[in-house]
PDB file of all heavy atoms in Angstrom:
ATOM      1  N   VAL A1011       6.137  -2.862   1.553  1.00  0.00           N
ATOM      2  CA  VAL A1011       6.461  -1.659   0.792  1.00  0.00           C
ATOM      3  C   VAL A1011       7.597  -1.977  -0.183  1.00  0.00           C
ATOM      4  O   VAL A1011       8.673  -2.361   0.268  1.00  0.00           O
ATOM      5  CB  VAL A1011       6.810  -0.497   1.691  1.00  0.00           C
ATOM      6  CG1 VAL A1011       7.118   0.739   0.905  1.00  0.00           C
ATOM      7  CG2 VAL A1011       5.714  -0.241   2.736  1.00  0.00           C
ATOM      8  N   SER A1012       7.375  -1.813  -1.444  1.00  0.00           N
ATOM      9  CA  SER A1012       8.287  -1.998  -2.589  1.00  0.00           C
ATOM     10  C   SER A1012       8.201  -3.405  -3.147  1.00  0.00           C
ATOM     11  O   SER A1012       7.667  -4.306  -2.492  1.00  0.00           O
ATOM     12  CB  SER A1012       9.740  -1.659  -2.209  1.00  0.00           C
ATOM     13  OG  SER A1012      10.410  -2.779  -1.635  1.00  0.00           O
ATOM     14  N   ASP A1013       8.709  -3.555  -4.331  1.00  0.00           N
ATOM     15  CA  ASP A1013       8.624  -4.851  -5.001  1.00  0.00           C
ATOM     16  C   ASP A1013       9.390  -5.922  -4.233  1.00  0.00           C
ATOM     17  O   ASP A1013       9.108  -7.113  -4.381  1.00  0.00           O
ATOM     18  CB  ASP A1013       9.061  -4.757  -6.476  1.00  0.00           C
ATOM     19  CG  ASP A1013      10.488  -4.249  -6.650  1.00  0.00           C
ATOM     20  OD1 ASP A1013      11.109  -3.774  -5.667  1.00  0.00           O
ATOM     21  OD2 ASP A1013      10.970  -4.312  -7.791  1.00  0.00           O
ATOM     22  N   ARG A1014      10.352  -5.540  -3.396  1.00  0.00           N
ATOM     23  CA  ARG A1014      11.050  -6.542  -2.583  1.00  0.00           C
ATOM     24  C   ARG A1014      10.094  -7.251  -1.625  1.00  0.00           C
ATOM     25  O   ARG A1014      10.304  -8.401  -1.278  1.00  0.00           O
ATOM     26  CB  ARG A1014      12.142  -5.855  -1.733  1.00  0.00           C
ATOM     27  CG  ARG A1014      13.327  -5.372  -2.502  1.00  0.00           C
ATOM     28  CD  ARG A1014      14.322  -4.742  -1.595  1.00  0.00           C
ATOM     29  NE  ARG A1014      13.656  -3.637  -0.863  1.00  0.00           N
ATOM     30  CZ  ARG A1014      14.275  -2.752  -0.166  1.00  0.00           C
ATOM     31  NH1 ARG A1014      15.570  -2.797  -0.013  1.00  0.00           N
ATOM     32  NH2 ARG A1014      13.615  -1.745   0.411  1.00  0.00           N
ATOM     33  N   ALA A1015       9.039  -6.596  -1.243  1.00  0.00           N
ATOM     34  CA  ALA A1015       8.064  -7.149  -0.308  1.00  0.00           C
ATOM     35  C   ALA A1015       7.138  -8.192  -0.939  1.00  0.00           C
ATOM     36  O   ALA A1015       6.409  -8.886  -0.255  1.00  0.00           O
ATOM     37  CB  ALA A1015       7.242  -6.047   0.357  1.00  0.00           C
ATOM     38  N   LEU A1016       7.195  -8.268  -2.277  1.00  0.00           N
ATOM     39  CA  LEU A1016       6.345  -9.282  -2.942  1.00  0.00           C
ATOM     40  C   LEU A1016       6.721 -10.709  -2.516  1.00  0.00           C
ATOM     41  O   LEU A1016       5.875 -11.608  -2.519  1.00  0.00           O
ATOM     42  CB  LEU A1016       6.502  -9.169  -4.456  1.00  0.00           C
ATOM     43  CG  LEU A1016       5.821  -7.949  -5.092  1.00  0.00           C
ATOM     44  CD1 LEU A1016       6.272  -7.766  -6.511  1.00  0.00           C
ATOM     45  CD2 LEU A1016       4.313  -8.067  -5.005  1.00  0.00           C
ATOM     46  N   ALA A1017       7.971 -10.922  -2.082  1.00  0.00           N
ATOM     47  CA  ALA A1017       8.424 -12.228  -1.664  1.00  0.00           C
ATOM     48  C   ALA A1017       8.159 -12.500  -0.172  1.00  0.00           C
ATOM     49  O   ALA A1017       8.620 -13.515   0.355  1.00  0.00           O
ATOM     50  CB  ALA A1017       9.901 -12.383  -1.975  1.00  0.00           C
ATOM     51  N   THR A1018       7.425 -11.629   0.488  1.00  0.00           N
ATOM     52  CA  THR A1018       7.129 -11.780   1.908  1.00  0.00           C
ATOM     53  C   THR A1018       5.667 -12.240   2.105  1.00  0.00           C
ATOM     54  O   THR A1018       4.916 -12.318   1.141  1.00  0.00           O
ATOM     55  CB  THR A1018       7.311 -10.464   2.683  1.00  0.00           C
ATOM     56  OG1 THR A1018       6.280  -9.552   2.322  1.00  0.00           O
ATOM     57  CG2 THR A1018       8.679  -9.840   2.387  1.00  0.00           C
ATOM     58  N   GLY A1019       5.331 -12.490   3.338  1.00  0.00           N
ATOM     59  CA  GLY A1019       3.952 -12.864   3.658  1.00  0.00           C
ATOM     60  C   GLY A1019       3.070 -11.668   3.973  1.00  0.00           C
ATOM     61  O   GLY A1019       2.061 -11.849   4.671  1.00  0.00           O
ATOM     62  N   ALA A1020       3.411 -10.481   3.485  1.00  0.00           N
ATOM     63  CA  ALA A1020       2.565  -9.316   3.754  1.00  0.00           C
ATOM     64  C   ALA A1020       1.169  -9.499   3.200  1.00  0.00           C
ATOM     65  O   ALA A1020       0.979 -10.155   2.152  1.00  0.00           O
ATOM     66  CB  ALA A1020       3.236  -8.048   3.123  1.00  0.00           C
ATOM     67  N   ASP A1021       0.199  -8.924   3.859  1.00  0.00           N
ATOM     68  CA  ASP A1021      -1.204  -9.026   3.413  1.00  0.00           C
ATOM     69  C   ASP A1021      -1.462  -8.265   2.119  1.00  0.00           C
ATOM     70  O   ASP A1021      -2.281  -8.668   1.328  1.00  0.00           O
ATOM     71  CB  ASP A1021      -2.155  -8.450   4.512  1.00  0.00           C
ATOM     72  CG  ASP A1021      -2.018  -9.200   5.814  1.00  0.00           C
ATOM     73  OD1 ASP A1021      -2.017 -10.457   5.797  1.00  0.00           O
ATOM     74  OD2 ASP A1021      -1.899  -8.548   6.847  1.00  0.00           O
ATOM     75  N   LEU A1022      -0.731  -7.211   1.947  1.00  0.00           N
ATOM     76  CA  LEU A1022      -0.890  -6.294   0.824  1.00  0.00           C
ATOM     77  C   LEU A1022       0.481  -5.732   0.519  1.00  0.00           C
ATOM     78  O   LEU A1022       1.265  -5.553   1.447  1.00  0.00           O
ATOM     79  CB  LEU A1022      -1.849  -5.152   1.192  1.00  0.00           C
ATOM     80  CG  LEU A1022      -2.029  -3.968   0.292  1.00  0.00           C
ATOM     81  CD1 LEU A1022      -2.824  -4.375  -0.933  1.00  0.00           C
ATOM     82  CD2 LEU A1022      -2.784  -2.866   1.031  1.00  0.00           C
ATOM     83  N   VAL A1023       0.804  -5.519  -0.746  1.00  0.00           N
ATOM     84  CA  VAL A1023       2.104  -4.952  -1.120  1.00  0.00           C
ATOM     85  C   VAL A1023       1.863  -3.727  -1.975  1.00  0.00           C
ATOM     86  O   VAL A1023       1.046  -3.774  -2.919  1.00  0.00           O
ATOM     87  CB  VAL A1023       2.998  -5.975  -1.859  1.00  0.00           C
ATOM     88  CG1 VAL A1023       4.350  -5.344  -2.222  1.00  0.00           C
ATOM     89  CG2 VAL A1023       3.220  -7.216  -0.994  1.00  0.00           C
ATOM     90  N   ILE A1024       2.559  -2.642  -1.646  1.00  0.00           N
ATOM     91  CA  ILE A1024       2.436  -1.366  -2.361  1.00  0.00           C
ATOM     92  C   ILE A1024       3.789  -0.945  -2.914  1.00  0.00           C
ATOM     93  O   ILE A1024       4.823  -1.375  -2.415  1.00  0.00           O
ATOM     94  CB  ILE A1024       1.829  -0.283  -1.452  1.00  0.00           C
ATOM     95  CG1 ILE A1024       2.669  -0.053  -0.236  1.00  0.00           C
ATOM     96  CG2 ILE A1024       0.406  -0.652  -1.060  1.00  0.00           C
ATOM     97  CD1 ILE A1024       2.266   1.080   0.686  1.00  0.00           C
ATOM     98  N   ASN A1025       3.752  -0.064  -3.911  1.00  0.00           N
ATOM     99  CA  ASN A1025       4.978   0.490  -4.486  1.00  0.00           C
ATOM    100  C   ASN A1025       5.771   1.279  -3.468  1.00  0.00           C
ATOM    101  O   ASN A1025       6.955   1.062  -3.278  1.00  0.00           O
ATOM    102  CB  ASN A1025       4.688   1.404  -5.676  1.00  0.00           C
ATOM    103  CG  ASN A1025       4.439   0.673  -6.951  1.00  0.00           C
ATOM    104  OD1 ASN A1025       5.180  -0.210  -7.325  1.00  0.00           O
ATOM    105  ND2 ASN A1025       3.362   1.028  -7.621  1.00  0.00           N
ATOM    106  N   ASP A1026       5.087   2.225  -2.849  1.00  0.00           N
ATOM    107  CA  ASP A1026       5.721   3.146  -1.914  1.00  0.00           C
ATOM    108  C   ASP A1026       4.620   3.757  -1.043  1.00  0.00           C
ATOM    109  O   ASP A1026       3.482   3.334  -1.099  1.00  0.00           O
ATOM    110  CB  ASP A1026       6.510   4.248  -2.662  1.00  0.00           C
ATOM    111  CG  ASP A1026       5.678   4.979  -3.688  1.00  0.00           C
ATOM    112  OD1 ASP A1026       4.495   5.268  -3.411  1.00  0.00           O
ATOM    113  OD2 ASP A1026       6.222   5.302  -4.752  1.00  0.00           O
ATOM    114  N   LEU A1027       4.990   4.729  -0.255  1.00  0.00           N
ATOM    115  CA  LEU A1027       4.035   5.308   0.698  1.00  0.00           C
ATOM    116  C   LEU A1027       3.290   6.532   0.163  1.00  0.00           C
ATOM    117  O   LEU A1027       2.498   7.118   0.874  1.00  0.00           O
ATOM    118  CB  LEU A1027       4.773   5.713   1.989  1.00  0.00           C
ATOM    119  CG  LEU A1027       5.467   4.561   2.718  1.00  0.00           C
ATOM    120  CD1 LEU A1027       6.264   5.069   3.907  1.00  0.00           C
ATOM    121  CD2 LEU A1027       4.477   3.487   3.143  1.00  0.00           C
ATOM    122  N   SER A1028       3.490   6.837  -1.130  1.00  0.00           N
ATOM    123  CA  SER A1028       2.852   8.016  -1.680  1.00  0.00           C
ATOM    124  C   SER A1028       1.318   7.829  -1.793  1.00  0.00           C
ATOM    125  O   SER A1028       0.828   6.732  -2.100  1.00  0.00           O
ATOM    126  CB  SER A1028       3.423   8.356  -3.055  1.00  0.00           C
ATOM    127  OG  SER A1028       3.203   7.333  -3.962  1.00  0.00           O
ATOM    128  N   GLY A1029       0.597   8.861  -1.486  1.00  0.00           N
ATOM    129  CA  GLY A1029      -0.841   8.844  -1.621  1.00  0.00           C
ATOM    130  C   GLY A1029      -1.596   8.203  -0.500  1.00  0.00           C
ATOM    131  O   GLY A1029      -2.831   8.212  -0.487  1.00  0.00           O
ATOM    132  N   ILE A1030      -0.914   7.666   0.474  1.00  0.00           N
ATOM    133  CA  ILE A1030      -1.580   7.009   1.600  1.00  0.00           C
ATOM    134  C   ILE A1030      -2.041   8.069   2.593  1.00  0.00           C
ATOM    135  O   ILE A1030      -1.287   8.968   2.969  1.00  0.00           O
ATOM    136  CB  ILE A1030      -0.634   6.016   2.288  1.00  0.00           C
ATOM    137  CG1 ILE A1030      -0.288   4.891   1.298  1.00  0.00           C
ATOM    138  CG2 ILE A1030      -1.265   5.439   3.559  1.00  0.00           C
ATOM    139  CD1 ILE A1030       0.742   3.934   1.817  1.00  0.00           C
ATOM    140  N   THR A1031      -3.302   7.903   3.025  1.00  0.00           N
ATOM    141  CA  THR A1031      -3.814   8.833   4.048  1.00  0.00           C
ATOM    142  C   THR A1031      -4.527   8.019   5.130  1.00  0.00           C
ATOM    143  O   THR A1031      -4.937   6.878   4.889  1.00  0.00           O
ATOM    144  CB  THR A1031      -4.792   9.854   3.441  1.00  0.00           C
ATOM    145  OG1 THR A1031      -5.875   9.131   2.813  1.00  0.00           O
ATOM    146  CG2 THR A1031      -4.087  10.749   2.416  1.00  0.00           C
ATOM    147  N   PHE A1032      -4.660   8.648   6.291  1.00  0.00           N
ATOM    148  CA  PHE A1032      -5.419   8.051   7.398  1.00  0.00           C
ATOM    149  C   PHE A1032      -6.235   9.176   7.973  1.00  0.00           C
ATOM    150  O   PHE A1032      -5.717  10.184   8.452  1.00  0.00           O
ATOM    151  CB  PHE A1032      -4.483   7.474   8.454  1.00  0.00           C
ATOM    152  CG  PHE A1032      -5.241   6.785   9.567  1.00  0.00           C
ATOM    153  CD1 PHE A1032      -5.778   5.516   9.373  1.00  0.00           C
ATOM    154  CD2 PHE A1032      -5.396   7.411  10.791  1.00  0.00           C
ATOM    155  CE1 PHE A1032      -6.484   4.888  10.381  1.00  0.00           C
ATOM    156  CE2 PHE A1032      -6.083   6.775  11.801  1.00  0.00           C
ATOM    157  CZ  PHE A1032      -6.635   5.504  11.614  1.00  0.00           C
ATOM    158  N   SER A1033      -7.543   9.033   7.869  1.00  0.00           N
ATOM    159  CA  SER A1033      -8.468  10.094   8.336  1.00  0.00           C
ATOM    160  C   SER A1033      -9.726   9.478   8.862  1.00  0.00           C
ATOM    161  O   SER A1033     -10.274   8.550   8.231  1.00  0.00           O
ATOM    162  CB  SER A1033      -8.735  11.051   7.156  1.00  0.00           C
ATOM    163  OG  SER A1033      -9.636  12.048   7.546  1.00  0.00           O
ATOM    164  N   ASN A1034     -10.212   9.965   9.973  1.00  0.00           N
ATOM    165  CA  ASN A1034     -11.431   9.512  10.571  1.00  0.00           C
ATOM    166  C   ASN A1034     -11.479   7.980  10.753  1.00  0.00           C
ATOM    167  O   ASN A1034     -12.462   7.342  10.484  1.00  0.00           O
ATOM    168  CB  ASN A1034     -12.662   9.969   9.760  1.00  0.00           C
ATOM    169  CG  ASN A1034     -12.775  11.457   9.707  1.00  0.00           C
ATOM    170  OD1 ASN A1034     -12.536  12.145  10.692  1.00  0.00           O
ATOM    171  ND2 ASN A1034     -13.161  11.997   8.553  1.00  0.00           N
ATOM    172  N   GLY A1035     -10.295   7.446  11.121  1.00  0.00           N
ATOM    173  CA  GLY A1035     -10.226   6.010  11.374  1.00  0.00           C
ATOM    174  C   GLY A1035     -10.148   5.154  10.143  1.00  0.00           C
ATOM    175  O   GLY A1035     -10.236   3.932  10.220  1.00  0.00           O
ATOM    176  N   GLN A1036      -9.988   5.749   8.954  1.00  0.00           N
ATOM    177  CA  GLN A1036      -9.920   5.017   7.705  1.00  0.00           C
ATOM    178  C   GLN A1036      -8.568   5.185   7.053  1.00  0.00           C
ATOM    179  O   GLN A1036      -8.095   6.287   6.871  1.00  0.00           O
ATOM    180  CB  GLN A1036     -10.986   5.526   6.742  1.00  0.00           C
ATOM    181  CG  GLN A1036     -12.416   5.282   7.216  1.00  0.00           C
ATOM    182  CD  GLN A1036     -12.754   3.815   7.220  1.00  0.00           C
ATOM    183  OE1 GLN A1036     -12.519   3.089   6.315  1.00  0.00           O
ATOM    184  NE2 GLN A1036     -13.379   3.379   8.341  1.00  0.00           N
ATOM    185  N   LEU A1037      -7.971   4.032   6.678  1.00  0.00           N
ATOM    186  CA  LEU A1037      -6.722   4.009   5.941  1.00  0.00           C
ATOM    187  C   LEU A1037      -7.068   3.942   4.433  1.00  0.00           C
ATOM    188  O   LEU A1037      -7.833   3.081   4.034  1.00  0.00           O
ATOM    189  CB  LEU A1037      -5.901   2.784   6.349  1.00  0.00           C
ATOM    190  CG  LEU A1037      -4.562   2.607   5.625  1.00  0.00           C
ATOM    191  CD1 LEU A1037      -3.609   3.716   5.971  1.00  0.00           C
ATOM    192  CD2 LEU A1037      -3.985   1.245   5.990  1.00  0.00           C
ATOM    193  N   TYR A1038      -6.482   4.859   3.682  1.00  0.00           N
ATOM    194  CA  TYR A1038      -6.747   4.856   2.236  1.00  0.00           C
ATOM    195  C   TYR A1038      -5.404   4.641   1.520  1.00  0.00           C
ATOM    196  O   TYR A1038      -4.438   5.365   1.747  1.00  0.00           O
ATOM    197  CB  TYR A1038      -7.362   6.188   1.792  1.00  0.00           C
ATOM    198  CG  TYR A1038      -7.450   6.321   0.300  1.00  0.00           C
ATOM    199  CD1 TYR A1038      -8.407   5.609  -0.438  1.00  0.00           C
ATOM    200  CD2 TYR A1038      -6.536   7.081  -0.415  1.00  0.00           C
ATOM    201  CE1 TYR A1038      -8.487   5.684  -1.807  1.00  0.00           C
ATOM    202  CE2 TYR A1038      -6.585   7.164  -1.785  1.00  0.00           C
ATOM    203  CZ  TYR A1038      -7.570   6.453  -2.481  1.00  0.00           C
ATOM    204  OH  TYR A1038      -7.612   6.552  -3.844  1.00  0.00           O
ATOM    205  N   ILE A1039      -5.429   3.646   0.624  1.00  0.00           N
ATOM    206  CA  ILE A1039      -4.265   3.358  -0.232  1.00  0.00           C
ATOM    207  C   ILE A1039      -4.751   3.390  -1.665  1.00  0.00           C
ATOM    208  O   ILE A1039      -5.634   2.595  -2.030  1.00  0.00           O
ATOM    209  CB  ILE A1039      -3.641   1.995   0.097  1.00  0.00           C
ATOM    210  CG1 ILE A1039      -3.155   1.992   1.548  1.00  0.00           C
ATOM    211  CG2 ILE A1039      -2.514   1.671  -0.861  1.00  0.00           C
ATOM    212  CD1 ILE A1039      -2.711   0.640   2.053  1.00  0.00           C
ATOM    213  N   PRO A1040      -4.224   4.271  -2.482  1.00  0.00           N
ATOM    214  CA  PRO A1040      -4.675   4.349  -3.900  1.00  0.00           C
ATOM    215  C   PRO A1040      -4.466   3.027  -4.618  1.00  0.00           C
ATOM    216  O   PRO A1040      -3.402   2.375  -4.476  1.00  0.00           O
ATOM    217  CB  PRO A1040      -3.806   5.434  -4.510  1.00  0.00           C
ATOM    218  CG  PRO A1040      -3.234   6.198  -3.355  1.00  0.00           C
ATOM    219  CD  PRO A1040      -3.177   5.255  -2.212  1.00  0.00           C
ATOM    220  N   ASP A1041      -5.451   2.582  -5.363  1.00  0.00           N
ATOM    221  CA  ASP A1041      -5.351   1.345  -6.109  1.00  0.00           C
ATOM    222  C   ASP A1041      -4.109   1.298  -7.009  1.00  0.00           C
ATOM    223  O   ASP A1041      -3.497   0.231  -7.148  1.00  0.00           O
ATOM    224  CB  ASP A1041      -6.592   1.099  -6.956  1.00  0.00           C
ATOM    225  CG  ASP A1041      -7.801   0.678  -6.112  1.00  0.00           C
ATOM    226  OD1 ASP A1041      -7.626   0.186  -4.978  1.00  0.00           O
ATOM    227  OD2 ASP A1041      -8.944   0.877  -6.589  1.00  0.00           O
ATOM    228  N   GLU A1042      -3.763   2.384  -7.619  1.00  0.00           N
ATOM    229  CA  GLU A1042      -2.642   2.409  -8.530  1.00  0.00           C
ATOM    230  C   GLU A1042      -1.294   2.207  -7.809  1.00  0.00           C
ATOM    231  O   GLU A1042      -0.289   1.984  -8.467  1.00  0.00           O
ATOM    232  CB  GLU A1042      -2.616   3.677  -9.373  1.00  0.00           C
ATOM    233  CG  GLU A1042      -2.495   4.978  -8.557  1.00  0.00           C
ATOM    234  CD  GLU A1042      -3.788   5.603  -8.100  1.00  0.00           C
ATOM    235  OE1 GLU A1042      -4.863   4.931  -8.193  1.00  0.00           O
ATOM    236  OE2 GLU A1042      -3.762   6.741  -7.648  1.00  0.00           O
ATOM    237  N   ASN A1043      -1.305   2.265  -6.510  1.00  0.00           N
ATOM    238  CA  ASN A1043      -0.081   2.061  -5.719  1.00  0.00           C
ATOM    239  C   ASN A1043       0.081   0.602  -5.297  1.00  0.00           C
ATOM    240  O   ASN A1043       1.093   0.241  -4.780  1.00  0.00           O
ATOM    241  CB  ASN A1043      -0.064   2.989  -4.519  1.00  0.00           C
ATOM    242  CG  ASN A1043       1.315   3.174  -3.929  1.00  0.00           C
ATOM    243  OD1 ASN A1043       2.297   2.686  -4.474  1.00  0.00           O
ATOM    244  ND2 ASN A1043       1.417   3.852  -2.808  1.00  0.00           N
ATOM    245  N   ARG A1044      -0.924  -0.205  -5.520  1.00  0.00           N
ATOM    246  CA  ARG A1044      -0.912  -1.575  -5.064  1.00  0.00           C
ATOM    247  C   ARG A1044      -0.205  -2.498  -6.051  1.00  0.00           C
ATOM    248  O   ARG A1044      -0.467  -2.461  -7.242  1.00  0.00           O
ATOM    249  CB  ARG A1044      -2.331  -2.087  -4.845  1.00  0.00           C
ATOM    250  CG  ARG A1044      -3.054  -1.340  -3.763  1.00  0.00           C
ATOM    251  CD  ARG A1044      -4.520  -1.753  -3.690  1.00  0.00           C
ATOM    252  NE  ARG A1044      -5.243  -0.877  -2.809  1.00  0.00           N
ATOM    253  CZ  ARG A1044      -5.983  -1.322  -1.773  1.00  0.00           C
ATOM    254  NH1 ARG A1044      -6.106  -2.613  -1.567  1.00  0.00           N
ATOM    255  NH2 ARG A1044      -6.603  -0.485  -1.016  1.00  0.00           N
ATOM    256  N   LEU A1045       0.703  -3.331  -5.531  1.00  0.00           N
ATOM    257  CA  LEU A1045       1.379  -4.342  -6.346  1.00  0.00           C
ATOM    258  C   LEU A1045       0.720  -5.691  -6.192  1.00  0.00           C
ATOM    259  O   LEU A1045       0.782  -6.510  -7.080  1.00  0.00           O
ATOM    260  CB  LEU A1045       2.867  -4.444  -5.945  1.00  0.00           C
ATOM    261  CG  LEU A1045       3.715  -3.191  -6.179  1.00  0.00           C
ATOM    262  CD1 LEU A1045       5.113  -3.404  -5.647  1.00  0.00           C
ATOM    263  CD2 LEU A1045       3.763  -2.918  -7.682  1.00  0.00           C
ATOM    264  N   ARG A1046       0.199  -5.951  -4.991  1.00  0.00           N
ATOM    265  CA  ARG A1046      -0.498  -7.217  -4.740  1.00  0.00           C
ATOM    266  C   ARG A1046      -1.493  -7.031  -3.620  1.00  0.00           C
ATOM    267  O   ARG A1046      -1.294  -6.348  -2.685  1.00  0.00           O
ATOM    268  CB  ARG A1046       0.531  -8.279  -4.306  1.00  0.00           C
ATOM    269  CG  ARG A1046      -0.105  -9.613  -3.943  1.00  0.00           C
ATOM    270  CD  ARG A1046       0.880 -10.573  -3.412  1.00  0.00           C
ATOM    271  NE  ARG A1046       1.433  -9.984  -2.178  1.00  0.00           N
ATOM    272  CZ  ARG A1046       2.123 -10.628  -1.277  1.00  0.00           C
ATOM    273  NH1 ARG A1046       2.405 -11.868  -1.458  1.00  0.00           N
ATOM    274  NH2 ARG A1046       2.572 -10.047  -0.217  1.00  0.00           N
TER     275      ARG A1046
END
């Protein structure tokens, strides 16, 4: 989470937690929130 995480081994990096939902066993992250 955040541009600081770009230097980590995270599988996916996002700007922030806005727009993220979890429903019916599905995690949704808006594409526009993804940094990597």
